[in-house]
Amino acid sequence: MTARSLESGAPARERAASPSLWARIWQNDAPGYLFLLPWLIGFFGLTIGPIISSLYLSFTDFDLLTDPNWVGASNYVRMFTNDPKFLASMRVTMVFVIFSVPLKLAFALAVAMLLNRGMRGLPLYRALFYLPSLLGASVAIAILWRQIFAREGLVNDFLSIFGIVGPSWISTPQYSLWTIIILAVWQFGSPMIIFLAGLRQIPQDMYEAASLDGASKWRQFVKITLPLLTPVVFFNAIIQTIEAFKSFTPAFIISGGTGNPINSTLFYTLYLYQEAFGFFRMGYASALAWVLLALVGLFTAFSFLTSKYWVHYDD
Amino acid sequence: MTTRIDRRQFLMGTSALVAAGAAGVMPAWAQGADLRLIFWGGQARADRTYGVTDLYTAANGGAVEGEFLAWNDYWPKLATQTAGGNAPDIIQMDYRYIVEYAKRNAIAPLDEFVGGVLKLDDFDADQLEGGKVDGKLYGISLGANSVATLVNTTAFEEAGVEAPTNAWTYDDLMTMGEAFNSANIRGGMKAISDSSYNEPSLDNWLRQRGKALYTADGKLGFEEQDAVEWYQLWAKLREAGVCVSPDDQALDTGPLESTMLVQGKAALMPSNSNQLVGYQALVQDKLNMVGYPRIAAGVGGGHYRKPSMFFSVGGSSANKEAATNFVSYFVNDVEAGKILGVERGIPCSAAVRDAVSPTLDEANQIALNFVANLGDLLGPLPPPPPAAAGEVDLSLIRTLGQEVGFGAKTPEQAGKDLVTGAAEILSRA
Amino acid sequence: MTDAPAKLTVVGANRLTPTQRRIVSVLMHAALLTVSVFMLYPLLWMLAASFRPENEIFTSASIIPSEWSLDAYVRGWNGLRTGFGTFFTNSFIVSILSVCGNVLACSMAAFAFARLNFRFRSFWFAMMLMTLMLPYQVTLIPQYVLFRQLGWVNTFLPLVVPKFLAADGFFIFLMVQFFRGLPKELDEAAQMDGCSPWRIYWKIIMPLSMPVLATAAIFTFIWTWDDFFGPLIYLSEMKSYTVMLGLRTFTDSTGESDYGGLFAMSVLSLVPIFLFFLFFQRLLIEGIATTGMKR
């Protein structure tokens, strides 16, 4: 996360070498802080308090209904020594992250590239492709997914053309997670729109020049589109990964909040939710949340550190 | 080492950075009503409940502001409101959570109001007992129901199999299942859904053996051998194709529309007597209900008249007496009873019951008759389940049942895991 | 479609004969249409379900209802005691205010992070990212206590005020990435001319960032509209419910549900967000398409 501050900053400081310290602070820092003011108010007023509270609660036995008692690190100790469900749910979430994020991003980028061409009826296609994302957490999704991935579902109807008799994908432990991964990929609308917005910012004259030089489509993609798109790729990768780690709703609606069959769709946050609101162990759930935060934080910090080698900014 | 810190103080302390001046404008509707009521349920229940609150306001003056949510959304919201010191005055409570809330004083004991605003003269004794935790009255039952097997009578006719009656046994189930398989209707409809991980089915079966899921002091009420036999019984039924396959059964995630009955994969399904109406609305076939199967001919005692849900009064309510007065009106007033019908179960006041029964439609009539005529199926009322019962159900009973179904564990292994796992969960809570 | 990308197609395709070009076009449309069917199927199913008799919704194999009826729409619209007219109004108020708040406050914060220098900038940026990483389930109760302390529970304030205070780091981060893609020379030239940071933000950066601002507006509107957990926790009177909360209240696994009403109102609830998307995606397309801008 520190990568940003390293590269720029020189010009503004030079200019302010003359007057007193306070004047210098005013000139250098004030505009930044003024623009940041709404966020700072929100951060200190609304956000940080509950965050610190949850950190505190992770060291208590808070049961939602009575006052919390301090229990030291025992929540964390239990998590790492005596909780098979912690490991199982972490594994489910990891598989989800590893497969859903790249697939979703690749799909979103491919469709965005396709939709960025001048073609008749494109606004319509764009809207259609965004439709699954509009449905959000609708009850209809659970019903629909069952219709597609149950034994008598559409997928098996299709497979039967080739003489394959498929199982009930959505409710068989080996496959159920995959139907949720497909659901996540199917709702690829948001990264697609962001990619589109990024593609629109690439100056067209660069393509024209390249095209006149006889560069192939693929070369243009590799030499122009991808480098200029890296800030957006970077953003989508970071955000989608964080979201995937925190993913809750798809598993909740598909499994009715149970994480079944046989905990095969027990996502980390679903387990956390069960602990907090199902079993009245908010203290333990808070500890689970902070372990997740540490994990995602490490991942993000690592991504930012490596980003200066591959993300191309204009500044 | 435990240090006590007042929760609310702490939570507020960390947020004290918030300027008090930010209080902002509030719409007029944010001002509180006289009494706040929260319940879970669908449209039908809401219509009836609001009918009664309107009636109450007309008769008593004080307004009752009601809010309702779906079951899954209800509990996080109630917990959040309770934790935030903002619990409603009147809270619909479930048998499963009443101990949890009562032990933590999130709901108030109502004994002091009995005979005063709370009139329970012709209230069913067993239903009154069901609302007690540690001898104190924490919940007023809103209706009695019982577990029941829903029967798709149309499917039975189609298969040419005689539909079960209250006398039926697990052996009969085996025979029925084989008959269903040879009839092969509707693309292989099975006789029954896989009930091996349906907690009430296990409970009912144990009670017929003279055991129970839980004892009065919150311990496990059965042994490993019982659990093993239970899983073996269902393994046999599964093998014979009497019940649906494990992957079909796993499609049932709770909502009515995902159940084997509505999906048309099974002709019988364990459920509750007050749910017949909800299911009948979703299927074209004619539904009926009978008891759960008996372990052997003539053996009874598995069923009991369960309080389907309670009204409790919030532990932090400033109007406990007024709230109790409303609850008393809700269960005793004949006109209110006529509006409510048997949607929440059979009314517990004899006077209300008599007034209501002539007004019922067919599906409700079936439910009423079923609960009124349990006969020898009826056993004693069990104590309310311990606080960790929900966790035992979700973490063990359902998961282990599926593991046996999918062949990941043997019945013997699952029986052992159930008993040791449940003991651990119960001791932790 | 006469904007810049059209040129790209022409330039790229000019090695093909007209017939080949037509074939490519037909194939493209065929591919896109096939994908569209998969995208559309849920909507068609929901539409069908909203018109058919209740006991046919889950039991019929055909997507065409046996009989068509508007009952579910009438029942649903007037349902839940309050009626969906109120829920729609509430959702509109919350969503529109959220769009205004997010676009303004997040773009300001993003401008600071992307274009201004100040002490501890990376620290604040890291803090902002951190707020994205904690699952909301565990901050819910402290937050509820806080809002209750402020007297905001059962008003729209807990849903709207955070948006005006840029509480959703997603949008800040998104805008930062786009602002950093704009040529630095723009600010520098403006600064030479004596432009204040405010003018640079308002007159240069914002107008050039229409695609990302439109994106933020679309997402905010749709996500606020689709959000149910916030309204679930903070709104406790039926007349302040939003559409999503209303929809979830139609079905209850323990009693009688109204599935027809659910699907009818689900279809209606998609209309505003779909229209909002259609309208704002024009801004997305009209983007800068900067042919003249030098990098």
Side-chain angles (χ1 to χ4, degrees):
Chain A
M1 264 156 267
T2 51
R4 266 210 53 66
S5 63
L6 302 175
E7 333 132 3
S8 53
R13 292 219 177 109
E14 279 163 26
R15 253 183 294 112
S18 46
S20 77
L21 179 70
W22 284 112
R24 222 161 58 219
I25 289 179
W26 175 250
Q27 206 177 346
N28 279 342
D29 297 342
Y33 276 95
L34 282 177
F35 273 95
L36 211 55
L37 196 61
W39 179 79
L40 284 169
I41 295 174
F43 182 73
F44 283 106
L46 303 177
T47 315
I48 193 72
I51 289 179
I52 294 173
S53 285
S54 78
L55 180 60
Y56 160 72
L57 290 174
S58 75
F59 293 99
T60 70
D61 63 354
F62 186 38
D63 66 358
L64 298 177
L65 304 179
T66 47
D67 295 338
N69 298 303
W70 182 267
V71 295
S74 70
N75 286 330
Y76 293 93
V77 172
R78 183 189 146 201
M79 201 181 306
F80 289 105
T81 56
N82 185 27
D83 187 0
K85 270 192 167 183
F86 162 70
L87 293 176
S89 64
M90 185 59 95
R91 200 194 67 90
V92 169
T93 290
M94 280 295 183
V95 172
F96 178 75
V97 170
I98 290 168
F99 287 95
S100 76
V101 175
L103 279 175
K104 187 176 188 169
L105 290 182
F107 203 52
L109 181 57
V111 176
M113 298 280 299
L114 207 61
L115 291 185
N116 193 37
R117 305 164 53 116
M119 228 177 98
R120 212 180 300 261
L122 276 182
L124 184 68
Y125 286 125
R126 255 190 298 258
L128 285 181
F129 290 175
Y130 196 71
L131 210 58
S133 309
L134 285 184
L135 288 170
S138 168
V139 184
I141 299 249
I143 296 165
L144 189 77
W145 235 238
R146 204 160 50 228
Q147 290 210 332
I148 296 175
F149 291 105
R151 193 200 313 279
E152 294 84 8
L154 290 182
V155 170
N156 282 346
D157 284 351
F158 178 74
L159 289 178
S160 68
I161 301 173
F162 308 101
I164 302 170
V165 181
S168 178
W169 304 95
I170 197 169
S171 58
T172 305
Q174 298 93 301
Y175 307 115
S176 52
L177 177 56
W178 294 94
T179 65
I180 296 181
I181 290 175
I182 292 174
L183 174 60
V185 176
W186 183 66
Q187 296 190 321
F188 67 98
S190 304
M192 175 192 81
I193 295 290
I194 294 169
F195 278 133
L196 258 177
L199 288 169
R200 309 304 297 193
Q201 268 197 339
I202 298 176
Q204 289 305 315
D205 51 1
M206 299 191 70
Y207 290 111
E208 281 157 32
S211 177
L212 288 179
D213 292 348
S216 70
K217 276 289 175 55
W218 176 248
R219 227 182 128 67
Q220 288 179 21
F221 175 74
V222 173
K223 289 289 167 190
I224 303 173
T225 313
L226 263 190
L228 292 183
L229 209 56
T230 45
V232 176
V233 173
F234 178 63
F235 170 83
N236 270 336
I238 294 270
I239 286 290
Q240 291 300 329
T241 309
I242 294 178
E243 290 300 316
F245 269 112
K246 284 167 45 185
S247 180
F248 171 78
T249 315
F252 186 83
I253 54 172
I254 297 288
S255 78
T258 62
N260 281 333
I262 320 188
N263 295 333
S264 59
T265 62
L266 187 68
F267 280 47
Y268 191 80
T269 46
L270 185 54
Y271 175 51
L272 183 156
Y273 180 85
Q274 285 182 359
E275 283 286 321
F277 292 104
F279 311 150
F280 297 88
R281 284 196 288 266
M282 185 52 100
Y284 190 64
S286 301
L288 286 170
W290 277 86
V291 168
L292 183 69
L293 178 112
L295 187 71
V296 179
L298 273 178
F299 158 79
T300 312
F302 179 75
S303 310
F304 268 85
L305 285 178
T306 56
S307 73
K308 60 173 166 248
Y309 300 112
W310 65 276
V311 179
H312 176 102
Y313 291 109
D314 195 49
D315 53 19
Chain B
M1 187 201 85
T2 57
T3 314
R4 285 182 54 86
I5 297 172
D6 182 81
R7 173 181 85 254
R8 248 156 252 147
Q9 229 169 22
F10 179 82
L11 296 178
M12 283 161 188
T14 53
S15 317
L17 302 149
V18 180
V25 278
M26 272 190 283
W29 44 259
Q31 277 145 26
D34 291 0
L35 285 175
R36 279 167 58 216
L37 158 71
I38 192 167
F39 59 99
W40 71 85
Q43 179 72 55
R45 180 173 303 161
D47 288 342
R48 293 167 191 265
T49 310
Y50 285 121
V52 174
T53 59
D54 290 346
L55 207 61
Y56 177 81
T57 305
N60 292 273
V64 181
E65 192 60 54
E67 183 194 3
F68 73 104
L69 296 157
W71 168 269
N72 267 342
D73 298 338
Y74 180 83
W75 296 101
K77 175 154 196 178
L78 181 62
T80 306
Q81 288 188 333
T82 309
N86 193 29
D89 300 291
I90 304 147
I91 298 167
Q92 188 169 300
M93 201 25 79
D94 184 66
Y95 207 55
R96 162 143 287 161
Y97 289 109
I98 191 166
V99 177
E100 194 88 46
Y101 275 80
K103 276 199 334 205
R104 297 174 165 130
N105 296 320
I107 49 178
L110 303 176
D111 301 87
E112 54 174 308
F113 302 116
V114 178
V117 293
L118 186 54
K119 297 184 182 56
L120 299 167
D121 304 330
D122 71 341
F123 207 80
D124 294 343
D126 59 341
Q127 295 303 300
L128 199 57
E129 203 54 40
K132 288 188 180 169
V133 178
D134 294 336
K136 283 194 270 183
L137 184 61
Y138 279 97
I140 304 300
S141 170
L142 301 180
N145 68 7
S146 162
V147 293
T149 306
L150 297 182
V151 185
N152 184 338
T153 53
T154 315
F156 268 90
E157 273 163 36
E158 242 173 85
V161 181
E162 201 177 325
T165 65
N166 276 352
W168 75 309
T169 64
Y170 277 97
D171 289 338
D172 295 339
L173 175 58
M174 190 58 131
T175 328
M176 266 173 223
E178 278 154 6
F180 249 88
N181 286 346
S182 42
N184 191 21
I185 58 163
R186 303 188 191 180
M189 191 186 212
K190 299 292 180 188
I192 194 167
S193 64
D194 187 336
S195 319
S196 61
Y197 51 95
N198 180 45
E199 187 208 38
S201 293
L202 171 60
D203 183 40
N204 184 281
W205 183 83
L206 286 169
R207 281 165 58 85
Q208 294 188 53
R209 291 163 69 102
K211 313 243 170 131
L213 218 40
Y214 302 106
T215 60
D217 57 352
K219 300 263 171 7
L220 215 54
F222 60 96
E223 277 89 62
E224 189 182 318
Q225 188 52 36
D226 300 307
V228 171
E229 279 180 46
W230 170 253
Y231 288 124
Q232 283 168 337
L233 167 67
W234 279 98
K236 210 172 71 188
L237 290 167
R238 202 175 294 120
E239 218 166 289
V242 173
C243 70
V244 301
S245 66
D247 52 344
D248 276 343
Q249 182 61 44
L251 290 172
D252 179 349
T253 54
L256 266 56
E257 87 276 356
S258 71
T259 57
M260 295 299 100
L261 188 79
V262 178
Q263 302 265 311
K265 288 177 187 288
L268 298 166
M269 191 180 79
S271 181
N272 290 303
S273 59
N274 63 340
Q275 289 198 286
L276 177 71
V277 181
Y279 280 105
Q280 185 63 74
L282 293 182
V283 298
Q284 288 152 341
D285 299 336
K286 178 92 188 47
L287 299 184
N288 191 9
M289 68 171 89
V290 297
Y292 278 11
R294 297 169 190 258
I295 56 171
V299 179
H303 294 64
Y304 61 93
R305 288 177 8 118
K306 180 188 169 212
S308 68
M309 56 195 83
F310 304 101
F311 268 167
S312 292
V313 172
S316 60
S317 166
N319 304 306
K320 292 201 177 72
E321 185 158 16
T324 313
N325 188 41
F326 172 78
V327 175
S328 182
Y329 179 86
F330 200 86
V331 296
N332 285 315
D333 189 85
V334 170
E335 290 310 307
K338 280 185 190 159
I339 296 176
L340 293 169
V342 296
E343 198 273 330
R344 281 185 171 89
I346 316 301
C348 306
S349 148
V352 174
R353 203 158 46 226
D354 293 343
V356 166
S357 50
T359 66
L360 297 178
D361 63 12
E362 198 192 347
N364 281 314
Q365 202 70 252
I366 294 175
L368 183 79
N369 287 335
F370 175 75
V371 179
N373 300 308
L374 282 169
D376 72 322
L377 286 174
L378 197 62
L381 187 73
E391 189 178 356
V392 174
D393 180 21
L394 187 60
S395 302
L396 291 173
I397 296 180
R398 290 194 213 190
T399 314
L400 287 171
Q402 287 185 333
E403 284 177 316
V404 177
F406 283 109
K409 278 187 179 156
T410 63
E412 293 72 23
Q413 184 64 42
K416 184 160 173 267
D417 290 355
L418 176 58
V419 172
T420 50
E424 195 198 322
I425 289 175
L426 290 170
S427 70
R428 204 191 307 147
Chain C
M1 294 298 293
T2 53
D3 53 349
K7 285 187 213 154
L8 177 60
T9 323
V10 177
V11 173
N14 61 5
R15 283 178 225 116
L16 303 174
T17 68
T19 330
Q20 281 172 319
R21 226 161 40 209
R22 180 156 304 163
I23 292 171
V24 168
S25 166
V26 167
L27 283 177
M28 285 265 290
H29 278 287
L32 287 172
L33 274 174
T34 319
V35 181
S36 301
V37 171
F38 285 99
M39 304 291 150
L40 255 178
Y41 182 79
L43 191 71
L44 292 179
W45 187 86
M46 224 155 72
L47 209 59
S50 70
F51 287 115
R52 56 173 41 149
E54 188 89 356
N55 62 9
E56 202 186 88
I57 294 177
F58 300 107
T59 51
S60 168
S62 156
I63 196 162
I64 313 289
S66 69
E67 47 187 301
W68 297 74
S69 147
L70 279 170
D71 275 2
Y73 283 86
V74 177
R75 209 172 57 229
W77 183 262
N78 298 313
L80 310 179
R81 186 166 169 91
T82 316
F84 263 76
T86 311
F87 300 160
F88 271 94
T89 314
N90 293 336
S91 280
F92 268 114
I93 294 173
V94 173
S95 302
I96 296 283
L97 285 176
S98 296
V99 169
C100 299
N102 253 353
V103 169
L104 262 179
C106 293
S107 66
M108 280 175 68
F111 178 71
F113 282 128
R115 301 301 247 200
L116 300 173
N117 284 301
F118 51 92
R119 252 159 278 212
F120 308 117
R121 186 175 65 176
S122 355
F123 171 76
W124 294 123
F125 192 73
M127 284 292 115
M128 186 272 291
L129 282 180
M130 187 195 76
T131 62
L132 283 176
M133 296 173 198
L134 200 63
Y136 67 87
Q137 289 92 344
V138 295
T139 50
L140 195 69
I141 286 179
Q143 209 152 42
Y144 182 85
V145 172
L146 166 65
F147 283 126
R148 180 167 145 68
Q149 194 68 351
L150 292 170
W152 290 3
V153 166
N154 207 16
T155 73
F156 293 146
L157 295 176
L159 307 177
V160 169
V161 172
K163 306 282 168 52
F164 280 90
L165 298 176
D168 195 344
F170 171 91
F171 293 102
I172 303 180
F173 186 17
L174 173 70
M175 291 179 192
V176 164
Q177 294 305 90
F178 276 86
F179 290 174
R180 289 183 73 179
L182 296 173
K184 202 84 177 169
E185 294 86 355
L186 288 172
D187 307 31
E188 279 157 16
Q191 221 164 9
M192 295 294 180
D193 296 345
C195 270
S196 67
W198 178 262
R199 272 185 70 86
I200 296 175
Y201 160 73
W202 192 249
K203 292 283 185 194
I204 298 176
I205 301 293
M206 288 294 262
L208 284 179
S209 303
M210 272 310 160
V212 69
L213 295 179
T215 307
I218 290 174
F219 288 173
T220 308
F221 190 86
I222 292 169
W223 292 347
T224 313
W225 189 275
D226 277 348
D227 179 34
F228 87 93
F229 219 78
L232 168 70
I233 295 300
Y234 292 114
L235 305 177
S236 38
E237 272 177 86
M238 304 300 282
K239 53 177 176 271
S240 57
Y241 272 23
T242 58
V243 171
M244 267 310 130
L245 204 46
L247 288 179
R248 293 189 57 104
T249 311
F250 269 120
T251 52
D252 177 65
S253 54
T254 64
E256 293 169 62
S257 300
D258 180 1
Y259 284 99
L262 165 70
F263 292 120
M265 289 305 107
S266 295
V267 170
L268 282 194
S269 81
L270 284 176
V271 173
I273 42 178
F274 194 66
L275 290 180
F276 193 91
F277 179 85
L278 277 185
F279 180 78
F280 270 84
Q281 74 151 3
R282 289 205 340 245
L283 293 180
L284 208 79
I285 288 132
E286 282 159 8
I288 49 175
T290 43
T291 32
M293 193 172 290
K294 280 291 293 167
R295 290 183 53 84

